[in-house]
Amino acid sequence: MSSYQDSDSLPPRSEVGLAGFSNPGLELGEGEYERAGVEDKIEGFHLDSTRGASAGQAESQKRRGLAVRFRGVEVEIQGRQILRDVAGTVLPGELLALMGPSGSGKTTLLSVLTGRIQAKSGQVTLGGRPLTKNLRRMLCYVMQQDIFFPNLTVKDTLMCQAHLRLPDSVTFAEKEKIISVLVEELGIKKCLNTIVGNDFVRGVSGGERKRVNIACELLTDPSVMLLDEPTSGLDSSTSHSLIATLKHYAVKHQKTIISSIHQPSSLIFHMFDKLLLMSDGEVAYYGQASRIVDFFADLGMPCTAHENPADYMLDKVKESPEVRQDIVDYSNKFRISSVECPLLSKDETDTHLQSMAGELSEVKIAGTDGEGAGAELEEVESPQWASSFWMQLRTLTARNFKQQRPQILSLINVIKTLVTSIIPGLIWFQVPREEDQVKARAGMLFHLVLYWFITPIFRTLPSYPVERPIINKERLAGSYRLSAYFLAKVLSELPLAIPQLLVHITISFWLAGLNGAGAYFADMGIIALSTFTAEALGLLISVVFLRMDQTMAFSTSLIVLTVLLGGFYIQKLPFWLVWLRYLAIILFSFHATLQLEFTDDTSFRCAIQSFSPHCAAAHLNNPNETAYIPAQEILDQFIIPLPVWGNILVLVLYMLAFRVATYLVLRFVRTPGK
C-alpha cells in the first residue's frame, strides 16, 4: 500500500511537484530527519533572536529555516475538543497549505504552533527542540487582519517596526537597507510613500497592505513563517501573485512557511509543496499537495480533470458525516506507519507539552565548518526586548504623533474649536462686573472647564478598542514596553492638544472679559491639567469596557453626573450625598478658576437688592456711595473648601490614579489572548 503521508515513499518532487522547486530534504529517513532537525545545515550563521539580518549580509548568510514538527496535538476549549491528534512536518524551503472547512481548527493549530495557545497534549518542536518562549522569536505569525495605523506611510510603518524589533546596534542606514531589500522582494517599492489607509482613509490596495504586513514580520529574518489566510479578501490575480512571492521567498532563502488558505484557485493550490487537510479538528489528509487527487481516487472519490482539487476536497469533507469519517479513517491508515504525520496511541497522546516556565535562554545554531557539519545547540541568556526603552519611547512617540496629527488637527476639529469659543464669547461678551452678573461669569468658566473635560474623554474613548490589536501584536502589554507606550501617548498628544486649547481659551477668555492676564495664564494651566486628567480617564474607560456601546453608555452617565455635581448648578447636597461631589473631577478645576477670577474686593459692584450682608450694610450706612461685594463672599456662595493649590493637587492625584489603574488593567487583565 503506497503512502501519501511520507515523502520518502513518493517519487522525487521534481516529477510530481512544481518545476524548479525540488527539495532533496524530502527524501530523508527517520533518523536523518532528527539529525537535520538539530543541525538544519545552517552555514555558519547564528540564529540570534534579538537581531535582524544585517544590511551587509550575503544571501548565503541569511538565517535559514528550521524544521517544524508537531505530534499528537490536542486542544480543548471550554469542554469542546478543537484539535484531535494533529501532526505534521515542514522542512526548510517548503510551503505547507493548511486547509479545511470553516471551524476545522486551522487558526487554532497556527496558534498552537506559535505558542499563543497551550495545547492539552502533544509536542511541537522547532529545529528538533521543544517550542519555548525564546524559540518563538525565531518564527513570525502574519495574522489574517492587517492591523496598521492608517495615517502612516508604508515607509513610516516599516521603519517604526524596524526600530522596535531590531537592536540598537543596527544603524539607521542598515535598517533602511533591510527595508529596501524587503520591499524590493515583496514588490511594494512603488507605494513606499503612500499611506496605509483603511476602510475610511484611502491608501494602498488590499494586496499591497497584505505584503506590508508580511514585510513587517520579515524584518527580523525569522526562520519560520506562519500565515493565517493571507489571501482573504484579495482577488484571484492578487492572491496568485502573493503566494508566488511567498513561494519564491521560501525557496530562495530556505524558509519554512506554513499558511492556512481558504478555497485557493488551482494555480495557487499547486504552488504548495505539502497539504494538511483538516476536518472537525482531525487530519483528513497529509502529504504532497500534488497527490491529493490520487488519494481521493483510491478512496473511490475521483476528481474530474477540469475540477479544482481544492474545491473538490473541501466539498467532500463537508458532504456528510459518513463521508468525512471515511476520509479520516483512510488517512489514519497511512498515518500508522508515517514518520512525518504519525498516528499516536492513547498513551502517547496523553504526553503534555513541556512547561515553558523559567525558560531564559535562546537557541543558537552554529556550524563548526563551512558545510555546517557538527553544528550543536547551545543555550545563552538574551534580553527580553531587542531595542532599548529610549528607542521604543522615541519610536512610539513619533508614530503616535503622525497618526494623531491628521485627526486632532483636522478641519472639522479646527472649525469646532473656533465655533465653540467665538459663540460663547459673544454670548458672554464683556460681562459687567456687577453682583447680579457673578453667576454669568461663573457660567463662562464652567463652560471652559466642561468643554475641555468632555472633548478629551470622547477623543480617547476609541483608543484602546482601536489599538488593542496593535498592543497585542507588538507585545506592548509587558511592563517594559507598556511604560514606553503610555509615556509616548502623553508626549505625542501634548503638542497637538495644547494649540487648540490655547486658541479656544484665548478667544473665550478675552471676549468675555474675564479677570486679566494673570488669571488667563493660570486658568490656561489649570484647564490643561484638567484636560490631561480627562484623557487619562477616557483611556481607562476604553480599557475597562471593550465594547463601544458599553463605553458610550458609561461615559454618558458619568458626564451627566459630573455636570450636575460640578459645583455650578447646585452647591448644597444632602449630607448623605456630599461624598459624590468629590467624584466630579471638574469640581476641582472649576473651583480653582473661580478662586482666580474673584480675587479683588473692589471689582464687583453691589446690586441694589443685594443678598450680601456687606452690601446691605454699605447701602444702609452710605446709600449714595458705590459699594463692592468682597471676593470671599462671592466664593462662599460656591462652597469652596480647598485652596487653589489643593484643587490642583487633587487633579494631579486623579490623573496619576487613572494612569496607574489603566496600566494595571492592561498589564494584568487585557494581556494578549484575554
Side-chain angles (χ1 to χ4, degrees), residues 400-406 408-409 491-501:
N400 201 57
F401 180 84
K402 291 179 180 179
Q403 168 62 23
Q404 294 296 329
R405 181 174 55 189
I408 296 179
L409 300 182
L491 294 177
S492 61
E493 295 181 6
L494 187 64
L496 296 174
I498 289 298
Q500 290 190 64
L501 185 143

Side-chain angles (χ1 to χ4, degrees), residues 539-559:
L539 186 58
L540 175 60
I541 294 172
S542 72
V543 168
V544 173
F545 300 97
L546 297 181
R547 289 171 45 184
M548 281 303 297
D549 58 338
Q550 296 175 345
T551 299
M552 295 301 297
F554 179 83
S555 302
T556 303
S557 302
L558 177 66
I559 289 173

Side-chain angles (χ1 to χ4, degrees), residues 431-653:
V431 182
R433 292 179 174 271
E434 297 176 354
E435 180 184 355
D436 56 2
Q437 294 296 318
V438 166
K439 198 73 172 179
R441 300 179 79 85
M444 183 60 179
L445 292 172
F446 189 73
H447 157 72
L448 292 176
V449 170
L450 182 61
Y451 178 84
W452 286 105
F453 176 77
I454 295 177
T455 299
I457 283 184
F458 280 106
R459 188 177 70 240
T460 54
L461 282 181
S463 294
Y464 184 68
V466 172
E467 296 181 15
R468 185 190 185 198
I470 297 178
I471 293 175
N472 291 349
K473 178 182 177 181
E474 298 178 351
R475 296 192 301 155
L476 293 178
S479 60
Y480 184 66
R481 282 194 165 180
L482 195 57
S483 302
Y485 168 76
F486 266 116
L487 191 54
K489 285 190 70 68
V490 175
L491 294 177
S492 61
E493 295 181 6
L494 187 64
L496 296 174
I498 289 298
Q500 290 190 64
L501 185 143
L502 180 65
V503 170
H504 187 274
I505 294 180
T506 299
I507 294 174
S508 300
F509 189 95
W510 295 111
L511 282 178
L514 299 180
N515 193 24
Y520 164 74
F521 288 107
D523 286 351
M524 184 76 69
I526 291 171
I527 295 175
L529 177 60
S530 179
T531 298
F532 301 147
T533 305
E535 286 182 347
L537 175 59
L539 186 58
L540 175 60
I541 294 172
S542 72
V543 168
V544 173
F545 300 97
L546 297 181
R547 289 171 45 184
M548 281 303 297
D549 58 338
Q550 296 175 345
T551 299
M552 295 301 297
F554 179 83
S555 302
T556 303
S557 302
L558 177 66
I559 289 173
V560 169
L561 290 176
T562 299
V563 171
L564 295 177
L565 300 171
F568 178 74
Y569 293 107
I570 186 169
Q571 287 75 43
K572 292 184 179 180
L573 292 172
F575 72 93
W576 49 277
L577 286 178
V578 171
W579 60 273
L580 279 175
R581 298 186 65 190
Y582 299 100
L583 299 180
I585 301 170
I586 63 171
L587 174 72
F588 304 99
S589 51
F590 178 53
H591 280 178
T593 55
L594 285 175
Q595 290 168 306
L596 293 169
E597 179 65 23
F598 303 109
T599 57
D600 192 352
D601 290 340
T602 59
S603 292
F604 293 87
R605 293 188 298 272
C606 292
I608 296 176
Q609 300 294 330
S610 176
F611 293 97
S612 166
H614 175 82
C615 292
H619 284 309
L620 183 64
N621 295 330
N622 195 346
N624 297 322
E625 188 173 313
T626 302
Y628 296 92
I629 181 171
Q632 189 57 48
E633 285 197 16
I634 296 176
L635 296 177
D636 288 343
Q637 297 177 26
F638 295 95
I639 311 178
I640 303 176
L642 297 175
V644 175
W645 66 266
N647 288 309
I648 293 175
L649 178 61
V650 172
L651 286 174
V652 172
L653 293 177

Side-chain angles (χ1 to χ4, degrees), residues 147-164 191-198 201-204 209 212 216 394-407 467 470 474 492 496:
I147 305 167
F148 296 110
F149 286 102
N151 294 326
L152 269 64
T153 65
V154 171
K155 184 175 182 179
D156 289 336
T157 300
L158 293 174
M159 186 55 70
C160 287
Q161 290 298 312
H163 287 321
L164 290 174
C191 60
L192 265 182
N193 296 316
T194 305
I195 63 171
V196 177
N198 56 17
V201 180
R202 185 177 178 84
V204 298
R209 188 177 296 118
V212 174
C216 289
R394 187 177 70 179
T395 302
L396 294 174
T397 301
R399 184 176 71 177
N400 201 57
F401 180 84
K402 291 179 180 179
Q403 168 62 23
Q404 294 296 329
R405 181 174 55 189
Q407 299 177 8
E467 296 181 15
I470 297 178
E474 298 178 351
S492 61
L496 296 174

